[in-house]
Amino acid sequence: EAEVAQSPRYKITEKSQAVAFWCDPISGHATLYWYRQILGQGPELLVQFQDESVVDDSQLPKDRFSAERLKGVDSTLKIQPAELGDSAMYLCASSTRLAKNIQYFGAGTRLSVL
Amino acid sequence: GESVGLHLPTLSVQEGDNSIINCAYSNSASDYFIWYKQESGKGPQFIIDIRSNMDKRQGQRVTVLLNKTVKHLSLQIAATQPGDSAVYFCAENTSGTYKYIFGTGTRLKVLA
């Protein structure tokens, strides 16, 4: 069964350092999402891509976060510099082009900022 | 595995009993809803969906009920099993957008 791949699974970093997370969506899925999930809460959308274009990054803290999906396939989310409050699970999800469609999630990257 | 959420509302049920998990959604314009299950250390997994033109939808051992008047969703799990132990989230979507808004989540504990 096809899955959304994310790496690394866990990342520990010190504040002010740069971190990057990678996501490979299910093959053929045009839409890719990055979510942040703080412990005890539901996922919160950070950025959404349709192919290589950003369609929603209204919740992305653009002073320190960046995301790209250069070829419309895999994607990278970067944080520079990391802050203590960035500690969370970062989830990637993908879906087909249809608006009303199921998002398939990866296992996530657990980030701890010390 | 690590916990998805340490301070979530928790529902404890005996194995074999039925479970009912509730969700209040925020946007009266939302017209599509999904229930997700998230096990410890994993991403959310699709369980069942419902569109706003329906009041009820049934799957295998699961039923979703939608009450648009009070903006309320519920997920019913029949004959709850140990493998149902997880955190359950509802998510809402508004027509014409790809954006899903997730609720806070409820932890389901199945007691043997």
Side-chain angles (χ1 to χ4, degrees):
Chain A
E1 184 176 300
E3 292 183 345
V4 175
Q6 288 190 248
S7 66
R9 286 298 312 277
Y10 303 93
K11 179 69 178 179
I12 299 174
T13 192
E14 294 183 345
K15 62 180 182 178
S16 80
Q17 296 298 304
V19 292
F21 314 131
W22 177 80
C23 172
D24 191 13
I26 293 173
S27 178
H29 280 195
T31 310
L32 184 147
Y33 311 78
W34 282 102
Y35 287 89
R36 176 170 57 190
Q37 185 175 28
I38 295 170
L39 207 58
Q41 299 181 17
E44 180 184 12
L45 181 69
L46 291 174
V47 62
Q48 176 189 326
F49 290 90
Q50 185 73 7
D51 300 307
E52 68 276 7
S53 301
V54 173
V55 296
D56 187 345
D57 63 356
S58 56
Q59 298 297 107
L60 189 71
K62 299 181 189 64
D63 57 334
R64 298 184 300 106
F65 286 65
S66 64
E68 61 183 17
R69 193 185 184 199
L70 294 176
K71 297 182 179 178
V73 181
D74 59 339
S75 175
T76 302
L77 178 69
K78 297 179 182 177
I79 308 175
Q80 182 174 17
E83 295 180 353
L84 295 177
D86 296 331
S87 294
M89 174 78 86
Y90 290 83
L91 293 163
C92 179
S94 70
S95 68
T96 64
R97 199 174 297 275
L98 298 173
K100 289 292 185 293
N101 215 340
I102 301 162
Q103 297 182 21
Y104 295 88
F105 284 82
T109 296
R110 167 66 69 186
L111 173 66
S112 296
V113 182
L114 305 178
Chain B
E2 63 187 12
S3 298
V4 169
L6 297 178
H7 305 292
L8 293 168
T10 299
L11 173 67
S12 297
V13 299
Q14 289 292 132
E15 181 179 355
D17 287 353
N18 296 334
S19 303
I20 300 177
I21 300 170
N22 297 303
C23 174
Y25 63 92
S26 57
N27 188 351
S28 57
S30 293
D31 57 2
Y32 179 61
F33 306 88
I34 297 180
W35 278 101
Y36 282 94
K37 172 186 180 183
Q38 189 172 22
E39 297 175 275
S40 185
K42 297 183 179 179
Q45 176 185 8
F46 172 86
I47 302 173
I48 191 168
D49 60 354
I50 188 168
R51 298 183 188 275
S52 60
N53 60 353
M54 303 173 70
D55 297 323
K56 178 179 179 179
R57 189 160 189 228
Q58 288 185 291
Q60 187 175 15
R61 282 203 308 120
V62 294
T63 300
V64 55
L65 299 178
L66 174 61
N67 185 331
K68 295 181 286 294
T69 303
V70 295
K71 294 191 290 185
H72 184 267
L73 271 174
S74 68
L75 176 70
Q76 300 178 1
I77 304 174
T80 311
Q81 302 169 359
D84 295 327
S85 293
V87 177
Y88 290 81
F89 293 99
C90 65
E92 60 183 293
N93 173 266
T94 303
S95 182
T97 76
Y98 293 84
K99 188 168 184 175
Y100 288 78
I101 298 173
F102 284 76
T104 305
T106 298
R107 179 183 301 283
L108 176 64
K109 284 188 176 179
V110 182
L111 309 173

